[in-house]
Amino acid sequence: MTNDPGHGPLAGIRVVELGQYISGPYAAKILADLGAEVIKVESPAGDPMRRWEGSGEMSPQFAAYNRGKRAVTLDLKTSEGLAQLLNLAREADVLIENFRPGVAERLGFGPDRLREIAPSLITCSITGFGATGPLAGRPSYDTVVSAIGGMYSQVVPESTLRPLGPAFSDLLSGMSAAQSILAALHARTERGTGEHVSVSMVGALLDFLTEAASTYLETGAVAHPDSRPRRAQAYALKGSDGGAFVVHMSVPEKFWLGLLEVLERPDLAEDPRFASREGRVRHYDDLDAELKVIAATRPRQHWLDRLAEHDIPHGPLNTVADLFDDPQIAAMELVENVPLPDGSTKPMPRPSVGFSASGRRRLAPPPGLGEGNADLLTTEAPTHA
């Protein structure tokens, strides 16, 4: 990955984001990372995530989802605030909002109204449960949607029942929105007009859980947290020093035979429970117990070195702190020091994609509350027309 940034493949695209918390801001952040100019519209009080953990107006969580944007403050419940927003929409290519269904229409900037004043504008609404149905009007926080949408049933064992991070439905719906907006931008080049993109958090989860969902619809089999590890023959183990690591054998028999060499346990190949892949899937818990006992006899690094020698898919089970100490992450240059207005820098994860022709612009810090008002809002009396 080059250190010489360009402008990004979305240079020249302007996005107006009326988002708060995660899903809408994350979608816009993806577009900003790709080179779009993103104008974040906040209420005078600001996105509530700004003040998480008592961090003034720039919490780490806000910074994560809002880097590289500009920001203005508008009171959209006033005629002047609405008129300013409509002026921004006229000059934009994309407008993203993640209000409850009907809020944008009630405030005067629903997709039909925006299409009247900006026919080429692509609008995107991110909701929890879509615009119809018994749950459509409910508040849509990630924990609720991840529970209703089946995600927690795939990652949280019943024995340790609790909500689990990260914010699955927020992040996946933000990714889905960004992907869909890119498709709409492409379609606009052929059609010449914009369109409205609808994304739901619960729908994004269902799309992400496509294997579990499709399997159930076809066979009636209900997937659980260990369903895929069984089929994938994936195991999490600990060395004698407490260091955790994973092994993923998938289908090729060579990985199973290589693992037996690493473990110095060729006898396991003769065990009728483990003699075939189907048997290892069926007796997953038994094999997992055997592997855990063996792994505990040597430190993690011993196993990592031996697994690498035998070309078996494996890796350390890193914490976030471990991740940024990993030499592979350093080699990929996935952290960038972002300059701040006061002359200091803020380390941030950089986009992992590269473009050979358009490059990628340097990361910019998240915006201060309303810092773009003077530059981006009209000084004349705006109109609705």
Side-chain angles (χ1 to χ4, degrees), residues 130 173 313 344:
S173 60
S344 64

Side-chain angles (χ1 to χ4, degrees), residues 257-318:
L257 298 177
L259 179 64
L260 296 184
E261 289 188 40
V262 168
L263 301 176
E264 300 177 356
R265 287 292 305 274
D267 57 294
L268 290 178
E270 306 303 321
D271 190 311
R273 296 172 297 172
F274 313 138
S276 67
R277 180 178 181 277
E278 292 74 17
R280 295 191 291 275
V281 170
R282 188 164 55 252
H283 297 286
Y284 178 89
D285 293 334
D286 293 341
L287 181 54
D288 182 59
E290 291 271 7
L291 297 181
K292 280 179 165 53
V293 170
I294 299 169
T297 64
R298 301 282 182 85
R300 176 172 71 177
Q301 194 59 51
H302 167 84
W303 299 120
L304 297 182
D305 292 341
R306 292 279 289 156
L307 289 163
E309 290 171 7
H310 286 74
D311 195 34
I312 298 169
H314 73 283
L317 205 163
N318 285 337

Side-chain angles (χ1 to χ4, degrees), residues 320-381:
V320 175
D322 298 330
L323 176 66
F324 289 109
D325 286 334
D326 193 301
Q328 181 63 37
I329 302 304
M332 295 174 69
E333 300 178 346
L334 292 179
V335 177
E336 183 171 329
N337 288 315
V338 180
L340 301 178
D342 63 5
S344 64
T345 60
K346 177 191 289 288
M348 301 194 79
R350 66 184 292 176
S352 61
V353 296
F355 298 90
S356 62
S358 52
R360 181 190 64 79
R361 71 181 185 188
R362 293 192 184 280
L363 294 184
L369 182 62
E371 71 175 30
N373 285 7
D375 295 331
L376 297 170
L377 300 182
T378 179
T379 57
E380 301 176 0

Side-chain angles (χ1 to χ4, degrees), residues 43 101 108 117 125 128 130-131 155 229 253 266 285 370-371:
S43 72
I117 66 169
S125 298
V155 297
E253 190 72 5
D285 293 334
E371 71 175 30

Side-chain angles (χ1 to χ4, degrees), residues 82-369:
L82 174 60
Q84 291 276 15
L85 174 63
L86 297 181
N87 282 345
L88 290 173
R90 287 188 183 92
E91 304 298 322
D93 298 282
V94 178
L95 184 142
I96 303 170
E97 55 90 1
N98 63 340
F99 298 115
R100 295 195 204 190
V103 171
E105 289 82 356
R106 186 169 70 249
L107 293 176
F109 57 91
D112 292 341
R113 175 71 177 108
L114 292 173
R115 190 174 300 112
E116 292 175 0
I117 66 169
S120 65
L121 181 68
I122 293 161
T123 55
C124 177
S125 298
I126 306 174
T127 60
F129 302 100
T132 60
L135 303 184
R138 285 195 185 180
S140 304
Y141 287 93
D142 173 76
T143 301
V144 175
V145 182
S146 290
I148 293 174
M151 175 61 82
Y152 283 163
S153 77
Q154 301 304 294
V155 297
V156 183
E158 289 188 11
S159 59
T160 57
L161 192 61
R162 61 181 296 178
L164 188 72
F168 294 109
S169 64
D170 278 321
L171 295 169
L172 290 169
S173 60
M175 293 176 67
S176 179
Q179 180 184 49
S180 301
I181 288 166
L182 294 176
L185 284 169
H186 172 73
R188 189 179 68 172
T189 64
E190 300 293 327
R191 189 175 52 246
T193 57
E195 61 185 301
H196 183 62
V197 176
S198 301
V199 177
S200 71
M201 295 163 69
V202 73
L205 286 184
L206 183 60
D207 189 41
F208 182 74
L209 297 174
T210 183
E211 180 181 332
S214 296
T215 299
Y216 171 74
L217 291 173
E218 182 174 340
T219 70
V222 179
H224 299 287
D226 67 345
S227 297
R228 179 162 174 76
R230 285 176 179 271
R231 288 194 299 273
Q233 283 295 283
Y235 297 86
L237 310 170
K238 279 188 178 183
S240 59
D241 58 351
F245 63 100
V246 298
V247 177
H248 186 123
M249 288 181 287
S250 189
V251 176
E253 190 72 5
K254 65 178 182 178
F255 293 142
W256 164 242
L257 298 177
L259 179 64
L260 296 184
E261 289 188 40
V262 168
L263 301 176
E264 300 177 356
R265 287 292 305 274
D267 57 294
L268 290 178
E270 306 303 321
D271 190 311
R273 296 172 297 172
F274 313 138
S276 67
R277 180 178 181 277
E278 292 74 17
R280 295 191 291 275
V281 170
R282 188 164 55 252
H283 297 286
Y284 178 89
D285 293 334
D286 293 341
L287 181 54
D288 182 59
E290 291 271 7
L291 297 181
K292 280 179 165 53
V293 170
I294 299 169
T297 64
R298 301 282 182 85
R300 176 172 71 177
Q301 194 59 51
H302 167 84
W303 299 120
L304 297 182
D305 292 341
R306 292 279 289 156
L307 289 163
E309 290 171 7
H310 286 74
D311 195 34
I312 298 169
H314 73 283
L317 205 163
N318 285 337
T319 66
V320 175
D322 298 330
L323 176 66
F324 289 109
D325 286 334
D326 193 301
Q328 181 63 37
I329 302 304
M332 295 174 69
E333 300 178 346
L334 292 179
V335 177
E336 183 171 329
N337 288 315
V338 180
L340 301 178
D342 63 5
S344 64
T345 60
K346 177 191 289 288
M348 301 194 79
R350 66 184 292 176
S352 61
V353 296
F355 298 90
S356 62
S358 52
R360 181 190 64 79
R361 71 181 185 188
R362 293 192 184 280
L363 294 184
L369 182 62

